[in-house]
Amino acid sequence: MGNWPSMAAELPFQEDGTSERASGEPSLVIDVDGYEGPLDLLLDLARRQKVDLSRISILALAEQYLSFIETARALRLELAADYLVMAAWLAYLKSRMLLPEPPKGEEPSAADLATALALRLKRLETIRAAAQRLATRERLGRDVFARGAPEVIASEGRPIWEAELYDLLAAYAQQRQKRIRQPMSVGHRQVLSLVEAREVLARLVGEAGEWTAIDGYLTRYMRSHGLPTETMTATVRASSLSAMLEMVREGVLDLRQDGAFAPLYVRRRSARPPALDL
Amino acid sequence: MAWVEAEEDEEGWDADQALARACRIVEALLFASVQPLSAQELAKSVPANVPIERVIAELEQSYAMRGVTLQRVAGGFAFRTAPDLAYLLAPEAEQPRKLSRAALETLAIIAYHQPVTRAEIEEIRGVATAKGTLDILLEAGWLRLRGRRRSPGRPVTFGTTPAFLDHFGLDRIDDLPGLEELKGAGFIEGRLAKDLTVPVPDDDPGLHDDEDPLGDLFTPLDDGDAS
Amino acid sequence: MAWVEAEEDEEGWDADQALARACRIVEALLFASVQPLSAQELAKSVPANVPIERVIAELEQSYAMRGVTLQRVAGGFAFRTAPDLAYLLAPEAEQPRKLSRAALETLAIIAYHQPVTRAEIEEIRGVATAKGTLDILLEAGWLRLRGRRRSPGRPVTFGTTPAFLDHFGLDRIDDLPGLEELKGAGFIEGRLAKDLTVPVPDDDPGLHDDEDPLGDLFTPLDDGDAS
């Protein structure tokens, strides 16, 4: 036990079960949007431990955070990279805290890392409290008011021209950006639109009473219309496939493929009713 | 403040309390208002049992001898500096004016790109610089004529002065934020054009390699003489 | 108005006369100005034999109970409406933009930690500063670019302005709420970057040891002559 980080030594052993319980906690609301980044989320989780931040269980906190991220990912919530980076770091910290501490090396000990994290959280909480007190002060223009119709006092050294650094920078940045934005011609993207693809296929439907290899048909179409195969094959294929699927759904076409990556065959659906037992 | 002094009998005391409160309210309203306020407007905020005329009279009397007096103007009431103290106020003409957009742009370009000639400013801005714009900036003491560019026409180069730094609260010219910082502070938005660069500004008064001394100030200054 | 009442003996009367006049002048100046005026600025317009502190004390007392009171803000003095009357005035006024949580936190970090770089703000909040957050605060006139930190990349340092103090009704940066508690909790002392404590905030315009000094404005900048 002597190798264990002091932080872990202070922890009661039952902490190990926390992650399961935490994930089942009804109070754990998954709303990443409500958090101002991973540190904010950690601070919120830490507050649920209802102890002074300096006595917080970092191990439990790491597990809660990781389970939060798990849940969020299970719900397929988009997580900003920041949250994942923090999760990776906490997973690392957790493993460091659970494993025997290696002999003293260059790296800070797991206990040091945990203490540093606790201090960071404490600092954020402190500045938050300060921000709150600042916000509740009597503010000019909201709680107290200055003279509505001020008169100009005669005094030497008063600048004739009013200009703030902010105005100067805003003017410069906007002007430079405006000027540098060259007239940009968007390169004409060579695509076969879905509408066009449908027209091509509609023509095919007229011809193909029997199974026809679609690739060959499209190649002939591209050649006859002078479309460059090197740049446009992909778009022609993609749009045609989308259009085909749509037409199959509408009952206009039949589509056949004998195996993965095998050629696709298409034919006009015959007038006979669909062979489905309804 | 006579109105907060207690009276002997209850009712009189209550009435004085109400009047005192009404006076505080009218005082604050008139102070904060952009325009003069009419008696009707003022009455809306005052306890119903206090006649507004009484409040006005009280305040007029209370401010009569002070540095600021309650005056009837434009059909309403407003606080105004006592006429005998008008000398403390600046004449209207000296009201500080906002620097025009063109002047701000020109000043900023000179600050970042100095030493810079008028033609170069125009090239960056993409428009001709009105004659008055540079005059205003020179007059404000923010610009100085640095020297002459060693190029055809020997155009004057402009730079900023210590008074410029002083006015804009800069310790030194390269405290002006760079591209990344302009972006970081939200001044530049969206994708950066590849060729958008912001120079490290330098107001060193020593002449650059391509600058000559101003020389004879009586020689026409700008490239104006070339035309 | 105690100061306009005559005294019996000549000398006392003269002194009272001078004080009364000084009070009227200071009253007029402070009424006229939106911005707080410093004692020095006020003293310039007041008879030399009247100590400005005496005038201020007289006015503070005289306005203590009124609808408009004399406040000490941003190192100076200003008349402001009494806070208890805000409910009457707020509906008329253009409401100041509500600060987002991110903006408020960023402002607090800058206020309590100044001078501070953007990277340091992000280190404390644990999240990148959204574009526009600093912009809003700069636009409000509460922030200023102080200088550059003497560290790789020479990042810009931010600090607060007198307008910040004025807006939040603070006389000096030391009056920030909660500073004592922060000190008591051992969160003040030392430098932010090294340990995790909050330094004593300092909006003194003079540069810190680790901020680049103005030095000699006329010395060429390092980056400039290297190229």
Side-chain angles (χ1 to χ4, degrees):
Chain A
M1 283 296 276
N3 282 342
W4 281 71
S6 56
M7 197 71 190
E10 283 170 18
L11 296 178
F13 233 102
Q14 75 229 27
E15 291 281 348
D16 280 359
T18 330
S19 62
E20 277 82 10
R21 262 182 283 126
S23 61
E25 252 173 34
S27 60
L28 195 68
V29 183
I30 307 286
D31 175 16
V32 194
D33 282 349
Y35 290 105
E36 296 259 351
L39 214 54
D40 185 28
L41 168 55
L42 267 175
L43 186 56
D44 185 52
L45 292 172
R47 283 211 193 95
R48 293 164 201 233
Q49 291 194 17
K50 293 198 172 73
V51 290
D52 188 276
L53 273 181
S54 53
R55 288 173 41 232
I56 196 107
S57 160
I58 291 292
L59 185 59
L61 187 61
E63 284 173 342
Q64 283 168 19
Y65 183 92
L66 292 170
S67 96
F68 179 100
I69 296 296
E70 278 297 286
T71 317
R73 294 183 82 178
L75 293 172
R76 295 171 180 280
L77 292 182
E78 289 281 338
L79 281 175
D82 293 357
Y83 290 90
L84 301 178
V85 170
M86 178 62 87
W89 189 83
L90 285 173
Y92 164 76
L93 180 62
K94 185 182 149 187
S95 70
R96 284 280 307 270
M97 291 176 81
L98 292 174
L99 290 172
E101 191 72 5
K104 241 190 165 6
E106 292 289 292
E107 285 178 65
S109 70
D112 288 347
L113 293 175
T115 310
L117 179 61
L119 272 173
R120 256 189 105 182
L121 291 173
K122 178 78 187 160
R123 189 177 61 186
L124 182 61
E125 189 177 56
T126 309
I127 204 75
R128 287 241 164 110
Q132 225 35 61
R133 296 185 61 167
L134 197 59
T136 52
R137 284 190 66 83
E138 276 155 9
R139 287 168 59 183
L140 185 62
R142 190 188 69 179
D143 308 301
V144 300
F145 295 84
R147 178 86 183 269
E151 295 157 278
V152 182
I153 303 164
S155 95
E156 311 148 48
R158 169 178 290 276
I160 304 162
W161 297 101
E162 262 178 8
E164 303 286 327
L165 183 58
Y166 174 81
D167 303 323
L168 189 74
L169 296 179
Y172 182 70
Q174 278 172 33
Q175 201 283 326
R176 291 279 293 159
Q177 210 182 5
K178 187 175 71 198
R179 282 287 296 162
I180 218 81
R181 200 173 282 152
Q182 303 293 349
M184 207 163 60
S185 61
V186 180
H188 184 68
R189 274 181 67 207
Q190 295 188 301
V191 290
L192 184 72
S193 70
L194 271 178
V195 178
E196 288 170 312
R198 239 197 116 95
E199 283 167 13
V200 173
L201 289 165
R203 217 170 306 143
L204 172 64
V205 171
E207 300 166 11
E210 292 308 314
W211 289 111
T212 309
I214 188 70
D215 273 355
Y217 179 80
L218 290 177
T219 308
R220 283 197 300 284
Y221 166 80
M222 288 177 74
R223 203 177 299 137
S224 65
H225 286 74
L227 303 179
T229 48
E230 62 275 16
T231 52
M232 286 200 63
T233 304
T235 171
V236 167
R237 269 206 190 132
S239 297
S240 305
L241 182 63
S242 298
M244 272 187 280
L245 292 174
E246 182 67 15
M247 290 164 86
V248 168
R249 199 178 61 80
E250 290 166 10
V252 186
L253 280 185
D254 284 331
L255 211 50
R256 197 188 93 204
Q257 188 178 34
D258 296 332
F261 304 109
L264 262 176
Y265 293 92
V266 66
R267 77 170 175 204
R268 180 178 62 227
R269 182 168 292 182
S270 51
R272 70 184 142 81
L276 283 175
D277 303 320
L278 289 176
Chain B
M1 289 166 293
W3 66 74
V4 290
E5 274 158 28
E7 295 276 320
E8 284 92 298
D9 66 298
E10 275 290 292
E11 280 195 20
W13 190 81
D14 280 354
D16 268 12
Q17 282 280 73
L19 179 61
R21 175 142 189 90
C23 281
R24 291 185 73 233
I25 289 169
V26 170
E27 211 169 36
L29 285 172
L30 289 177
F31 175 82
S33 175
V34 178
Q35 301 115 16
L37 296 174
S38 68
Q40 277 153 296
E41 285 170 302
L42 291 168
K44 279 188 229 152
S45 304
V46 161
N49 59 338
V50 186
I52 191 68
E53 296 74 24
R54 177 97 175 73
V55 180
I56 299 281
E58 186 75 42
L59 284 176
E60 269 177 337
Q61 201 201 326
S62 165
Y63 280 89
M65 304 295 287
R66 308 191 78 126
V68 168
T69 58
L70 186 62
Q71 294 178 12
R72 290 165 195 258
V73 279
F77 299 89
F79 281 120
R80 292 281 187 260
T81 304
D84 66 308
L85 298 177
Y87 71 93
L88 292 168
L89 301 178
E92 281 300 304
E94 278 188 40
Q95 283 242 1
R97 277 168 292 166
K98 274 254 169 212
L99 208 56
S100 75
R101 176 83 194 187
L104 276 172
E105 281 181 18
T106 304
L107 181 59
I109 287 166
I110 293 170
Y112 272 96
H113 298 257
Q114 61 189 304
V116 67
T117 67
R118 184 170 172 177
E120 287 159 356
I121 296 165
E122 294 182 347
E123 194 189 312
I124 295 172
R125 287 193 64 219
V127 287
T129 308
K131 170 136 180 24
T133 304
L134 284 169
D135 289 345
I136 282 169
L137 298 172
L138 283 162
E139 221 170 288
W142 294 334
L143 293 192
R144 64 192 196 85
L145 309 173
R146 285 178 50 91
R148 290 177 182 279
R149 176 63 44 78
R150 201 173 294 158
S151 70
R154 302 184 64 239
V156 164
T157 53
F158 293 94
T160 54
T161 59
F164 165 82
L165 295 176
D166 196 35
H167 180 91
F168 290 97
L170 297 166
D171 284 305
R172 39 191 275 181
I173 194 71
D174 65 343
D175 283 346
L176 283 172
L179 181 60
E180 278 309 312
E181 286 146 351
L182 286 172
K183 198 174 181 238
F187 286 110
I188 290 179
E189 295 193 38
R191 214 159 52 89
L192 286 184
K194 243 182 266 139
D195 43 355
L196 175 58
T197 55
V198 170
V200 177
D202 177 3
D203 62 358
D204 171 31
L207 292 176
H208 284 214
D209 286 350
D210 59 353
E211 278 182 300
D212 282 334
L214 261 180
D216 186 0
L217 269 176
F218 297 103
T219 328
L221 280 184
D222 217 324
D223 16 15
D225 58 339
S227 61
Chain C
M1 290 166 291
W3 68 75
V4 289
E5 274 158 27
E7 294 277 317
E8 285 91 296
D9 66 298
E10 275 290 288
E11 279 196 19
W13 190 82
D14 279 354
D16 268 12
Q17 281 281 72
L19 179 61
R21 173 145 188 91
C23 281
R24 290 184 74 234
I25 290 170
V26 169
E27 197 175 35
L29 287 173
L30 289 177
F31 247 81
S33 177
V34 174
Q35 269 95 38
L37 299 174
S38 71
Q40 286 130 293
E41 285 171 295
L42 293 169
K44 277 190 234 155
S45 305
V46 162
N49 58 338
V50 184
I52 191 70
E53 296 76 23
R54 180 92 174 75
V55 179
I56 297 288
E58 192 75 38
L59 285 174
E60 268 178 334
Q61 202 199 330
S62 164
Y63 278 90
M65 306 293 288
R66 308 190 78 127
V68 172
T69 61
L70 186 60
Q71 300 290 324
R72 290 168 190 256
V73 281
F77 303 89
F79 278 120
R80 299 286 183 248
T81 59
D84 67 304
L85 300 176
Y87 73 99
L88 286 168
L89 303 163
E92 301 290 319
E94 203 180 304
Q95 282 296 302
R97 193 166 173 175
K98 201 164 161 25
L99 282 181
S100 71
R101 198 171 131 204
L104 183 63
E105 258 176 51
T106 303
L107 180 62
I109 289 169
I110 293 169
Y112 286 82
H113 290 261
Q114 61 188 307
V116 65
T117 68
R118 187 174 179 194
E120 288 161 355
I121 296 166
E122 296 185 345
E123 149 75 15
I124 292 173
R125 297 193 62 232
V127 70
T129 309
K131 188 166 29 159
T133 302
L134 284 170
D135 198 32
I136 284 167
L137 299 172
L138 282 161
E139 199 174 347
W142 297 336
L143 295 192
R144 64 190 196 89
L145 309 169
R146 283 182 51 91
R148 289 174 183 275
R149 174 67 43 78
R150 196 181 299 159
S151 68
R154 302 186 65 233
V156 163
T157 50
F158 292 94
T160 54
T161 60
F164 163 81
L165 295 176
D166 192 13
H167 183 86
F168 290 96
L170 299 163
D171 187 18
R172 303 178 313 151
I173 199 72
D174 301 1
D175 295 337
L176 277 171
L179 260 193
E180 283 309 313
E181 287 94 319
L182 287 168
K183 278 185 201 167
F187 266 79
I188 306 245
E189 286 327 315
R191 280 271 311 110
L192 172 69
K194 283 201 200 80
D195 40 47
L196 296 156
T197 57
V198 178
V200 180
D202 180 5
D203 64 353
D204 183 84
L207 290 175
H208 284 212
D209 286 349
D210 59 350
E211 282 181 294
D212 246 346
L214 169 61
D216 187 354
L217 248 188
F218 304 101
T219 314
L221 301 170
D222 303 354
D223 344 44
D225 55 353
S227 60

PDB file of all heavy atoms in Angstrom, chain B residues 29-51:
ATOM      1  N   LEU B  29     -35.581  61.911 -11.913  1.00  0.00           N
ATOM      2  CA  LEU B  29     -36.136  61.873 -13.269  1.00  0.00           C
ATOM      3  C   LEU B  29     -35.552  62.982 -14.132  1.00  0.00           C
ATOM      4  O   LEU B  29     -35.138  62.746 -15.262  1.00  0.00           O
ATOM      5  CB  LEU B  29     -37.663  61.999 -13.224  1.00  0.00           C
ATOM      6  CG  LEU B  29     -38.442  60.764 -12.777  1.00  0.00           C
ATOM      7  CD1 LEU B  29     -39.920  61.106 -12.589  1.00  0.00           C
ATOM      8  CD2 LEU B  29     -38.301  59.628 -13.793  1.00  0.00           C
ATOM      9  N   LEU B  30     -35.519  64.186 -13.577  1.00  0.00           N
ATOM     10  CA  LEU B  30     -35.014  65.320 -14.354  1.00  0.00           C
ATOM     11  C   LEU B  30     -33.522  65.170 -14.629  1.00  0.00           C
ATOM     12  O   LEU B  30     -33.026  65.526 -15.689  1.00  0.00           O
ATOM     13  CB  LEU B  30     -35.286  66.636 -13.623  1.00  0.00           C
ATOM     14  CG  LEU B  30     -36.750  67.068 -13.570  1.00  0.00           C
ATOM     15  CD1 LEU B  30     -36.895  68.352 -12.768  1.00  0.00           C
ATOM     16  CD2 LEU B  30     -37.300  67.268 -14.982  1.00  0.00           C
ATOM     17  N   PHE B  31     -32.812  64.624 -13.657  1.00  0.00           N
ATOM     18  CA  PHE B  31     -31.359  64.436 -13.806  1.00  0.00           C
ATOM     19  C   PHE B  31     -31.061  63.445 -14.926  1.00  0.00           C
ATOM     20  O   PHE B  31     -30.187  63.677 -15.764  1.00  0.00           O
ATOM     21  CB  PHE B  31     -30.782  63.938 -12.477  1.00  0.00           C
ATOM     22  CG  PHE B  31     -29.324  63.589 -12.530  1.00  0.00           C
ATOM     23  CD1 PHE B  31     -28.350  64.573 -12.425  1.00  0.00           C
ATOM     24  CD2 PHE B  31     -28.910  62.268 -12.659  1.00  0.00           C
ATOM     25  CE1 PHE B  31     -27.000  64.259 -12.457  1.00  0.00           C
ATOM     26  CE2 PHE B  31     -27.562  61.940 -12.701  1.00  0.00           C
ATOM     27  CZ  PHE B  31     -26.605  62.933 -12.593  1.00  0.00           C
ATOM     28  N   ALA B  32     -31.795  62.339 -14.938  1.00  0.00           N
ATOM     29  CA  ALA B  32     -31.477  61.255 -15.874  1.00  0.00           C
ATOM     30  C   ALA B  32     -32.077  61.465 -17.255  1.00  0.00           C
ATOM     31  O   ALA B  32     -31.652  60.833 -18.223  1.00  0.00           O
ATOM     32  CB  ALA B  32     -31.945  59.916 -15.301  1.00  0.00           C
ATOM     33  N   SER B  33     -33.066  62.356 -17.352  1.00  0.00           N
ATOM     34  CA  SER B  33     -33.766  62.492 -18.627  1.00  0.00           C
ATOM     35  C   SER B  33     -32.928  63.207 -19.685  1.00  0.00           C
ATOM     36  O   SER B  33     -32.171  64.124 -19.391  1.00  0.00           O
ATOM     37  CB  SER B  33     -35.070  63.258 -18.415  1.00  0.00           C
ATOM     38  OG  SER B  33     -35.673  63.489 -19.669  1.00  0.00           O
ATOM     39  N   VAL B  34     -33.085  62.734 -20.905  1.00  0.00           N
ATOM     40  CA  VAL B  34     -32.381  63.349 -22.022  1.00  0.00           C
ATOM     41  C   VAL B  34     -33.035  64.681 -22.385  1.00  0.00           C
ATOM     42  O   VAL B  34     -32.367  65.645 -22.722  1.00  0.00           O
ATOM     43  CB  VAL B  34     -32.377  62.395 -23.234  1.00  0.00           C
ATOM     44  CG1 VAL B  34     -31.686  63.029 -24.420  1.00  0.00           C
ATOM     45  CG2 VAL B  34     -31.721  61.077 -22.871  1.00  0.00           C
ATOM     46  N   GLN B  35     -34.385  64.721 -22.309  1.00  0.00           N
ATOM     47  CA  GLN B  35     -35.106  65.948 -22.643  1.00  0.00           C
ATOM     48  C   GLN B  35     -35.729  66.531 -21.372  1.00  0.00           C
ATOM     49  O   GLN B  35     -35.874  65.842 -20.381  1.00  0.00           O
ATOM     50  CB  GLN B  35     -36.242  65.666 -23.626  1.00  0.00           C
ATOM     51  CG  GLN B  35     -35.820  65.048 -24.914  1.00  0.00           C
ATOM     52  CD  GLN B  35     -36.390  63.651 -25.067  1.00  0.00           C
ATOM     53  OE1 GLN B  35     -37.318  63.264 -24.358  1.00  0.00           O
ATOM     54  NE2 GLN B  35     -35.818  62.883 -25.977  1.00  0.00           N
ATOM     55  N   PRO B  36     -36.130  67.788 -21.496  1.00  0.00           N
ATOM     56  CA  PRO B  36     -36.924  68.354 -20.401  1.00  0.00           C
ATOM     57  C   PRO B  36     -38.209  67.548 -20.241  1.00  0.00           C
ATOM     58  O   PRO B  36     -38.717  66.987 -21.208  1.00  0.00           O
ATOM     59  CB  PRO B  36     -37.236  69.776 -20.887  1.00  0.00           C
ATOM     60  CG  PRO B  36     -36.205  70.070 -21.915  1.00  0.00           C
ATOM     61  CD  PRO B  36     -35.865  68.771 -22.557  1.00  0.00           C
ATOM     62  N   LEU B  37     -38.721  67.454 -19.017  1.00  0.00           N
ATOM     63  CA  LEU B  37     -39.947  66.700 -18.768  1.00  0.00           C
ATOM     64  C   LEU B  37     -41.052  67.652 -18.347  1.00  0.00           C
ATOM     65  O   LEU B  37     -40.817  68.597 -17.588  1.00  0.00           O
ATOM     66  CB  LEU B  37     -39.716  65.658 -17.671  1.00  0.00           C
ATOM     67  CG  LEU B  37     -38.711  64.545 -18.000  1.00  0.00           C
ATOM     68  CD1 LEU B  37     -38.460  63.671 -16.779  1.00  0.00           C
ATOM     69  CD2 LEU B  37     -39.188  63.703 -19.170  1.00  0.00           C
ATOM     70  N   SER B  38     -42.264  67.408 -18.850  1.00  0.00           N
ATOM     71  CA  SER B  38     -43.393  68.268 -18.507  1.00  0.00           C
ATOM     72  C   SER B  38     -43.932  67.893 -17.132  1.00  0.00           C
ATOM     73  O   SER B  38     -43.670  66.807 -16.620  1.00  0.00           O
ATOM     74  CB  SER B  38     -44.503  68.110 -19.549  1.00  0.00           C
ATOM     75  OG  SER B  38     -45.059  66.821 -19.436  1.00  0.00           O
ATOM     76  N   ALA B  39     -44.714  68.814 -16.564  1.00  0.00           N
ATOM     77  CA  ALA B  39     -45.316  68.555 -15.253  1.00  0.00           C
ATOM     78  C   ALA B  39     -46.172  67.297 -15.295  1.00  0.00           C
ATOM     79  O   ALA B  39     -46.164  66.505 -14.354  1.00  0.00           O
ATOM     80  CB  ALA B  39     -46.159  69.765 -14.824  1.00  0.00           C
ATOM     81  N   GLN B  40     -46.882  67.114 -16.401  1.00  0.00           N
ATOM     82  CA  GLN B  40     -47.732  65.914 -16.515  1.00  0.00           C
ATOM     83  C   GLN B  40     -46.901  64.634 -16.461  1.00  0.00           C
ATOM     84  O   GLN B  40     -47.242  63.684 -15.763  1.00  0.00           O
ATOM     85  CB  GLN B  40     -48.474  65.920 -17.854  1.00  0.00           C
ATOM     86  CG  GLN B  40     -49.735  66.748 -17.862  1.00  0.00           C
ATOM     87  CD  GLN B  40     -49.990  67.220 -19.269  1.00  0.00           C
ATOM     88  OE1 GLN B  40     -49.184  67.990 -19.821  1.00  0.00           O
ATOM     89  NE2 GLN B  40     -51.079  66.764 -19.856  1.00  0.00           N
ATOM     90  N   GLU B  41     -45.829  64.634 -17.241  1.00  0.00           N
ATOM     91  CA  GLU B  41     -44.969  63.449 -17.270  1.00  0.00           C
ATOM     92  C   GLU B  41     -44.417  63.160 -15.881  1.00  0.00           C
ATOM     93  O   GLU B  41     -44.366  62.007 -15.433  1.00  0.00           O
ATOM     94  CB  GLU B  41     -43.805  63.666 -18.242  1.00  0.00           C
ATOM     95  CG  GLU B  41     -44.213  63.560 -19.707  1.00  0.00           C
ATOM     96  CD  GLU B  41     -43.111  64.012 -20.654  1.00  0.00           C
ATOM     97  OE1 GLU B  41     -42.659  65.181 -20.546  1.00  0.00           O
ATOM     98  OE2 GLU B  41     -42.696  63.205 -21.489  1.00  0.00           O
ATOM     99  N   LEU B  42     -43.977  64.219 -15.208  1.00  0.00           N
ATOM    100  CA  LEU B  42     -43.407  64.044 -13.872  1.00  0.00           C
ATOM    101  C   LEU B  42     -44.455  63.533 -12.895  1.00  0.00           C
ATOM    102  O   LEU B  42     -44.176  62.681 -12.052  1.00  0.00           O
ATOM    103  CB  LEU B  42     -42.830  65.378 -13.368  1.00  0.00           C
ATOM    104  CG  LEU B  42     -41.584  65.869 -14.117  1.00  0.00           C
ATOM    105  CD1 LEU B  42     -41.274  67.314 -13.743  1.00  0.00           C
ATOM    106  CD2 LEU B  42     -40.391  64.972 -13.815  1.00  0.00           C
ATOM    107  N   ALA B  43     -45.687  64.049 -13.026  1.00  0.00           N
ATOM    108  CA  ALA B  43     -46.745  63.703 -12.076  1.00  0.00           C
ATOM    109  C   ALA B  43     -47.026  62.208 -12.065  1.00  0.00           C
ATOM    110  O   ALA B  43     -47.413  61.639 -11.048  1.00  0.00           O
ATOM    111  CB  ALA B  43     -48.020  64.479 -12.418  1.00  0.00           C
ATOM    112  N   LYS B  44     -46.799  61.554 -13.221  1.00  0.00           N
ATOM    113  CA  LYS B  44     -47.088  60.121 -13.327  1.00  0.00           C
ATOM    114  C   LYS B  44     -46.302  59.289 -12.324  1.00  0.00           C
ATOM    115  O   LYS B  44     -46.760  58.231 -11.889  1.00  0.00           O
ATOM    116  CB  LYS B  44     -46.747  59.621 -14.742  1.00  0.00           C
ATOM    117  CG  LYS B  44     -47.827  59.922 -15.757  1.00  0.00           C
ATOM    118  CD  LYS B  44     -47.479  59.223 -17.070  1.00  0.00           C
ATOM    119  CE  LYS B  44     -47.602  60.204 -18.239  1.00  0.00           C
ATOM    120  NZ  LYS B  44     -46.708  59.865 -19.345  1.00  0.00           N
ATOM    121  N   SER B  45     -45.087  59.746 -11.989  1.00  0.00           N
ATOM    122  CA  SER B  45     -44.226  58.948 -11.117  1.00  0.00           C
ATOM    123  C   SER B  45     -44.304  59.360  -9.648  1.00  0.00           C
ATOM    124  O   SER B  45     -43.621  58.787  -8.805  1.00  0.00           O
ATOM    125  CB  SER B  45     -42.773  59.054 -11.584  1.00  0.00           C
ATOM    126  OG  SER B  45     -42.670  58.678 -12.929  1.00  0.00           O
ATOM    127  N   VAL B  46     -45.094  60.369  -9.391  1.00  0.00           N
ATOM    128  CA  VAL B  46     -45.123  60.956  -8.050  1.00  0.00           C
ATOM    129  C   VAL B  46     -46.366  60.458  -7.301  1.00  0.00           C
ATOM    130  O   VAL B  46     -47.410  60.276  -7.920  1.00  0.00           O
ATOM    131  CB  VAL B  46     -45.120  62.499  -8.194  1.00  0.00           C
ATOM    132  CG1 VAL B  46     -45.591  63.193  -6.941  1.00  0.00           C
ATOM    133  CG2 VAL B  46     -43.731  62.970  -8.607  1.00  0.00           C
ATOM    134  N   PRO B  47     -46.262  60.198  -5.974  1.00  0.00           N
ATOM    135  CA  PRO B  47     -47.447  59.780  -5.216  1.00  0.00           C
ATOM    136  C   PRO B  47     -48.636  60.706  -5.492  1.00  0.00           C
ATOM    137  O   PRO B  47     -48.467  61.927  -5.562  1.00  0.00           O
ATOM    138  CB  PRO B  47     -46.995  59.900  -3.759  1.00  0.00           C
ATOM    139  CG  PRO B  47     -45.507  59.787  -3.800  1.00  0.00           C
ATOM    140  CD  PRO B  47     -45.077  60.289  -5.140  1.00  0.00           C
ATOM    141  N   ALA B  48     -49.803  60.111  -5.656  1.00  0.00           N
ATOM    142  CA  ALA B  48     -50.980  60.858  -6.109  1.00  0.00           C
ATOM    143  C   ALA B  48     -51.362  61.992  -5.162  1.00  0.00           C
ATOM    144  O   ALA B  48     -51.893  63.018  -5.598  1.00  0.00           O
ATOM    145  CB  ALA B  48     -52.157  59.898  -6.276  1.00  0.00           C
ATOM    146  N   ASN B  49     -51.062  61.830  -3.884  1.00  0.00           N
ATOM    147  CA  ASN B  49     -51.493  62.852  -2.935  1.00  0.00           C
ATOM    148  C   ASN B  49     -50.559  64.064  -2.859  1.00  0.00           C
ATOM    149  O   ASN B  49     -50.776  64.970  -2.070  1.00  0.00           O
ATOM    150  CB  ASN B  49     -51.675  62.237  -1.538  1.00  0.00           C
ATOM    151  CG  ASN B  49     -50.382  61.598  -1.034  1.00  0.00           C
ATOM    152  OD1 ASN B  49     -49.511  61.264  -1.833  1.00  0.00           O
ATOM    153  ND2 ASN B  49     -50.255  61.467   0.262  1.00  0.00           N
ATOM    154  N   VAL B  50     -49.518  64.056  -3.681  1.00  0.00           N
ATOM    155  CA  VAL B  50     -48.625  65.216  -3.681  1.00  0.00           C
ATOM    156  C   VAL B  50     -48.805  65.992  -4.980  1.00  0.00           C
ATOM    157  O   VAL B  50     -48.532  65.464  -6.057  1.00  0.00           O
ATOM    158  CB  VAL B  50     -47.146  64.781  -3.545  1.00  0.00           C
ATOM    159  CG1 VAL B  50     -46.250  66.002  -3.408  1.00  0.00           C
ATOM    160  CG2 VAL B  50     -46.969  63.842  -2.372  1.00  0.00           C
ATOM    161  N   PRO B  51     -49.274  67.237  -4.907  1.00  0.00           N
ATOM    162  CA  PRO B  51     -49.441  68.010  -6.149  1.00  0.00           C
ATOM    163  C   PRO B  51     -48.078  68.299  -6.775  1.00  0.00           C
ATOM    164  O   PRO B  51     -47.157  68.717  -6.080  1.00  0.00           O
ATOM    165  CB  PRO B  51     -50.111  69.315  -5.697  1.00  0.00           C
ATOM    166  CG  PRO B  51     -50.249  69.236  -4.221  1.00  0.00           C
ATOM    167  CD  PRO B  51     -49.604  68.002  -3.710  1.00  0.00           C
TER     168      PRO B  51
END
